[in-house]
Amino acid sequence: MGCIEMLKPQILLRGISFREAREYIESSCDECYHFQPGFRLFGEYIIGAPPIAVGIMKDGSIVFPYTKPCHGTFVLKHRDEAEAERVRKLGREEVMRSLKRR
């Protein structure tokens, strides 16, 4: 999984579809934000079918999909409060941009 592997994240699900990853994150996280493919998380580009759900748990863990070519899609969890705060900020900005487009 490239540099994401260096984080040593917890693997919650593996071998699933983008849709299954999104549904799992939306239903199991305390907060959920949606991004377009190419969003950077932990310095890596996140790819997949939009919208890409990124969840945050109360303990500051981030739950996110990660696709590795030839290995499929995983849902990973990694605790990083600073990155969680960055996701919150960008997620809120994305919501405001989408509201202005309407």
Side-chain angles (χ1 to χ4, degrees):
M1 281 185 245
C3 292
I4 292 289
E5 285 180 335
M6 295 173 66
L7 297 172
K8 303 219 184 293
Q10 178 183 357
I11 298 173
L12 301 177
L13 298 172
R14 68 178 68 209
I16 59 171
S17 69
F18 297 126
R19 180 177 166 193
E20 289 168 321
R22 180 175 42 251
E23 289 171 353
Y24 176 83
I25 292 167
E26 289 172 344
S27 68
S28 65
C29 294
D30 298 307
E31 300 173 53
C32 185
Y33 301 96
H34 294 92
F35 298 96
Q36 293 300 308
F39 174 69
R40 288 184 75 136
L41 191 60
F42 302 109
E44 295 295 316
Y45 293 102
I46 305 300
I47 61 172
I52 296 174
V54 177
I56 300 176
M57 305 301 288
K58 289 180 183 174
D59 71 352
S61 294
I62 300 172
V63 179
F64 61 100
Y66 189 76
T67 301
K68 183 176 181 184
C70 300
H71 293 279
T73 300
F74 298 76
V75 173
L76 306 177
K77 179 179 177 182
H78 181 70
R79 189 167 189 268
D80 185 322
E81 292 183 28
E83 189 73 350
E85 192 53 42
R86 187 182 79 82
V87 168
R88 276 188 191 101
K89 181 180 185 278
L90 294 174
R92 290 177 185 140
E93 289 172 2
E94 184 63 29
V95 168
M96 295 306 292
R97 276 192 295 275
S98 68
L99 291 174
K100 287 180 183 177
R101 284 183 238 148
R102 291 182 184 181

